[in-house]
Amino acid sequence: MDEITRRLIEFWRGTQGAEGPVPLHAPVFEGREWDYVKDCLDTGWVSSVGAYVDRFEAMLAEITGVRHAVAVVNGTAALEICLHLAGVKPGDQVVMPSLTFIATANAASHLGATCRFVDIEERTLGLDPARLDEHLIAAKGQPIAAVVAMHTFGHPVDLDGVAAVCARHGVPLIEDAAESLGSSYHGQHTGHHGRLAALSFNGNKIVTTGGGGAILTNDAELAKRAKHLTTTAKVPHPYRFDHDEVGWNYRLPNLNAALGCAQLEVLDEYVARKRRLGDHYARVFADLPGVRLMLENPGTTVNYWLHALLLDQPDPARVERVIQEAGAAGIQCRPVWTPMHQLPMYGDCPRGPLPVTQSIAARLINIPSSPVAS
Ligand SMILES: *Cc1c(COP(=O)(O)O)cnc(C)c1O
C-alpha cells in the first residue's frame, strides 16, 4: 500500500475514529437550516420571491465586503451573467486557466465566445500574471473580451498581478470565486478585484443552498442590470407582464436561499474547521518525502475548500493508485479536473504553453475536506 494511503487511513480510522465512509466533501447542517426551510413551507414562500433571497444577498455583501450580491440558480449561471455584463458576445474570446472546473469554460461557450487557455502558477494553482501578459501580447488584435481568474480550492490567485495585466491590456477581469467563499487576499475577501465575481453554492461547496450561485460587484449599475437580467428582465409593475429585453430565468428560489442563510451563519466556523483539518494533515504528511500539502501563500487566508496533496514529480499512476486504495478503504480522494484543453469540446481552443497545468494534473490528489469537527 502506498504510504500516502496508509497515513490517510491511519488518520481517519485511527486518530479521528471515523467508522463509516469518509467523503471528499459532504455538506454539514448543524445550524438553523430546518427552521428556515420549514418557515418557507409554513408560509408558502418557496419559489421565486421571498424575504430569504434579500437576506441571503445582504449576508453575502456583508461577508465579502463587496457592495452588491445577486443570488442566482447556480455558479455557472452566475459566471455567464458576469461575462455577459462584462460585454462578452458571440465571436469574442475569453481567457481563463485550463485547470478549472468545466463551468468556467461552459459559461463563456454558452455566450457564443471561444475560450483561450493560459498557464497557472504552481504557488497559487491559479493564472500566472507573466504568462497572461505574454499571451495577451501575442494575441493582440484578437477579440478578447474578458479574463477569468479562478481561485483553485480556495487559494487566491495573484490578484494584484493579474489585475495589473488586465488593466494594462484594457481587458475586464472576472473572478470565478466559486471555490473561495471565506478566502481573502491582502485582508480583503476575494471578489473585489474583478469587475464582477461569481460564487457557487452547489452541494459540494463550503456552504450550500442545494444548488445556487451569486454575482458580486461593487458597481451599483452592474448589480441592477444583473438583477434585472436574471429575473426575466421584467419591468416592475403590480400586475402587468412587460419585459424590456431578452432576459434569463436564473433567480434563486426562496427555499434555497433559506438554506443558504442558515449556512452562511456558520461559514466562519466551517472555515475554522477546514483550517484545523489542514493543521492535522500538515502534521500527518510533514515527514513524508516526495509529497507536500498545498498551504496558503503569504498575504492570503484560505478557506481550504478542498485540501490537496502535491507529489514532487508527475506520477499519474501513483495518483490513480492512492485514489483507488483509499477508495477501497472508504476514504474518498480525487484527482484534479482533466484540464479543459484535453477535453473534446475545448481541444481546439487557442492556448499558450501549459507546462505547469500538465504537471499539476499529474501530481495532485484532493483528500477528504468536509467541514466536520476534528
Ligand atoms: C463549482 C464551480 C463553479 C460553479 O458550479 P455550479 O455547479 O454551476 O454552481 C464554477 N467554477 C468553479 C471553479 C467551480 O468549482
Side-chain angles (χ1 to χ4, degrees):
M1 182 180 283
D2 195 284
E3 181 59 17
I4 295 176
T5 321
R6 204 192 60 72
R7 291 189 184 203
L8 276 173
I9 294 173
E10 185 179 295
F11 173 69
W12 282 107
R13 300 288 177 225
T15 318
Q16 294 300 310
E19 282 167 8
V22 181
L24 181 72
H25 201 289
V28 175
F29 304 115
E30 293 174 356
R32 293 198 267 187
E33 289 85 358
W34 278 106
D35 295 342
Y36 293 173
V37 170
K38 184 168 185 305
D39 183 38
C40 294
L41 299 178
D42 288 343
T43 59
W45 292 99
V46 296
S47 189
S48 48
V49 281
Y52 285 110
V53 175
D54 296 338
R55 187 159 145 198
F56 185 58
E57 292 176 342
M59 288 179 83
L60 286 173
E62 165 90 32
I63 288 166
T64 60
V66 179
R67 236 169 269 143
H68 311 278
V70 175
V72 294
V73 282
N74 57 53
T76 313
L79 271 171
E80 185 186 348
I81 300 300
C82 287
L83 290 170
H84 174 76
L85 288 174
V88 175
K89 48 184 196 322
D92 281 346
Q93 301 176 356
V94 177
V95 179
M96 63 186 68
S98 179
L99 199 82
T100 185
F101 174 59
I102 190 82
T104 321
N106 285 350
S109 297
H110 285 308
L111 291 171
T114 302
C115 302
R116 278 184 166 274
F117 302 119
V118 167
D119 212 5
I120 55 170
E121 286 186 277
E122 173 159 342
R123 188 175 66 87
T124 64
L125 301 179
L127 273 186
D128 183 328
R131 299 291 88 78
L132 177 65
D133 194 34
E134 287 165 12
H135 191 80
L136 291 175
I137 289 168
K140 212 171 156 56
Q142 297 291 317
I144 293 175
V147 169
V148 183
M150 196 276 283
H151 306 298
T152 309
F153 309 140
H155 294 272
V157 308
D158 176 353
L159 275 167
D160 285 340
V162 167
V165 171
C166 289
R168 195 152 64 240
H169 291 272
V171 181
L173 172 64
I174 303 296
E175 287 177 62
D176 181 344
E179 304 181 358
S180 67
L181 182 65
S183 294
S184 60
Y185 177 84
H186 296 325
Q188 198 175 39
H189 199 284
T190 50
H192 279 267
H193 284 68
R195 186 174 295 177
L196 300 123
L199 298 176
S200 169
F201 304 99
N202 188 34
N204 66 344
K205 295 303 201 286
I206 185 161
V207 293
T208 185
T209 57
I215 298 157
L216 300 177
T217 182
N218 280 313
D219 183 319
E221 198 49 43
L222 286 177
K224 226 172 95 190
R225 294 269 305 135
K227 193 61 166 181
H228 187 61
L229 281 174
T230 55
T231 55
T232 70
K234 185 176 180 295
V235 182
H237 190 277
Y239 49 86
R240 275 187 207 290
F241 274 75
D242 283 327
H243 306 259
D244 58 6
E245 58 189 305
V246 180
W248 283 263
N249 177 14
Y250 276 177
R251 67 183 119 209
L252 184 71
N254 201 50
L255 195 55
N256 300 80
L259 190 58
C261 288
Q263 289 264 284
L264 288 182
E265 288 174 355
V266 294
L267 174 66
D268 286 349
E269 168 64 17
Y270 285 9
V271 172
R273 288 180 181 184
K274 282 165 172 284
R275 294 178 64 83
R276 210 172 306 133
L277 180 57
D279 294 340
H280 294 316
Y281 278 145
R283 276 192 294 275
V284 167
F285 295 104
D287 61 342
L288 184 61
V291 59
R292 68 182 173 88
L293 186 69
M294 181 73 194
L295 292 174
E296 72 190 2
N297 290 298
T300 70
T301 308
V302 173
N303 68 1
Y304 287 105
W305 170 56
L306 285 187
H307 287 287
L309 290 175
L310 271 179
L311 307 180
D312 288 351
Q313 299 297 328
D315 191 345
R318 187 175 183 200
V319 169
E320 197 81 17
R321 189 165 69 246
V322 168
I323 291 167
Q324 284 177 6
E325 286 174 348
I331 295 172
Q332 190 186 7
C333 298
R334 208 178 62 182
V336 72
W337 317 279
T338 299
M340 296 303 104
H341 71 282
Q342 292 175 359
L343 298 177
M345 324 70 93
Y346 298 118
D348 294 334
C349 292
R351 59 180 195 247
L354 301 168
V356 181
T357 299
Q358 305 269 30
S359 165
I360 294 292
R363 290 163 53 203
L364 194 144
I365 305 170
N366 283 125
I367 53 179
S369 306
S370 297
V372 289
S374 63

